[in-house]
């Protein structure tokens, strides 16, 4: 069992930065790949970034590559998403998710994640 709580969302102007954090509880956190997803009104939830269980491999959607950075600290049970050069199209609710499997790489598919946070809103004004 893994419980996830996101924080760090807010309102920012285009070109600005935000850092999202996800605090996890549960003894299996450190063995699971983690992902950040987002969902804008009227759109499907989409993959943003993922990190493997060790933190050595990261993956990004093309739309955020070179602007966002995912990281994790297994000692503190946290996953973070540093978002730079934000654009209005980044506006969405952002969700932290834990993979359904241990020791694997993060998947782009929503269905491959068993545990989700409640989400944190990011709004980028133009």
């Amino acid at each position: 069992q893994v419980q996830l709580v996101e924080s760090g969302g807010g309102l920012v102007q285009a070109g600005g930065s935000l850092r999202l954090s996800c605090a996890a509880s549960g003894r299996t956190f450190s063995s699971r790949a983690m992902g950040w997803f987002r969902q804008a009104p009227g759109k499907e939830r989409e993959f943003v970034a993922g990190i493997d269980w060790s933190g050595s491999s990261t993956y990004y959607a093309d739309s955020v590559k070179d602007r966002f950075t995912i990281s994790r600290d297994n000692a503190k049970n946290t996953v973070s998403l540093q978002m730079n050069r934000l654009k209005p199209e980044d506006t969405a609710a952002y969700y932290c998710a834990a993979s359904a499997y241990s020791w694997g790489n993060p998947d782009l598919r929503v269905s491959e994640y068993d545990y989700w946070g409640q989400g944190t809103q990011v709004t980028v004004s133009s």
Side-chain angles (χ1 to χ4, degrees):
Q1 191 87 1
V2 178
Q3 294 180 321
L4 305 170
V5 178
E6 302 97 336
S7 62
L11 173 64
V12 65
Q13 288 189 333
S17 298
L18 280 175
R19 185 176 180 86
L20 305 183
S21 294
C22 175
S25 62
R27 55 190 180 86
T28 64
F29 166 80
S30 61
S31 68
R32 296 177 184 264
M34 298 294 295
W36 282 97
F37 290 75
R38 68 187 180 188
Q39 187 168 18
K43 294 189 176 181
E44 292 191 354
R45 192 167 295 190
E46 64 174 1
F47 174 84
V48 174
I51 189 166
D52 77 339
W53 65 272
S54 69
S56 61
S57 297
T58 57
Y59 305 82
Y60 298 94
D62 288 343
S63 58
V64 306
K65 205 171 291 183
D66 300 324
R67 298 190 298 123
F68 290 11
T69 302
I70 188 171
S71 60
R72 69 188 296 163
D73 186 334
N74 284 346
K76 296 182 178 179
N77 276 18
T78 58
V79 179
S80 298
L81 185 68
Q82 177 66 42
M83 305 186 295
N84 298 327
R85 303 198 310 277
L86 283 160
K87 304 176 180 180
E89 51 263 43
D90 294 319
T91 295
Y94 282 71
Y95 298 88
C96 172
S99 172
Y101 311 104
S102 294
W103 316 117
N105 289 322
D107 201 287
L108 278 65
R109 295 169 292 179
V110 170
S111 60
E112 297 302 298
Y113 293 80
D114 262 1
Y115 302 101
W116 294 83
Q118 82 289 352
T120 186
Q121 179 67 34
V122 171
T123 302
V124 184
S125 63
S126 57

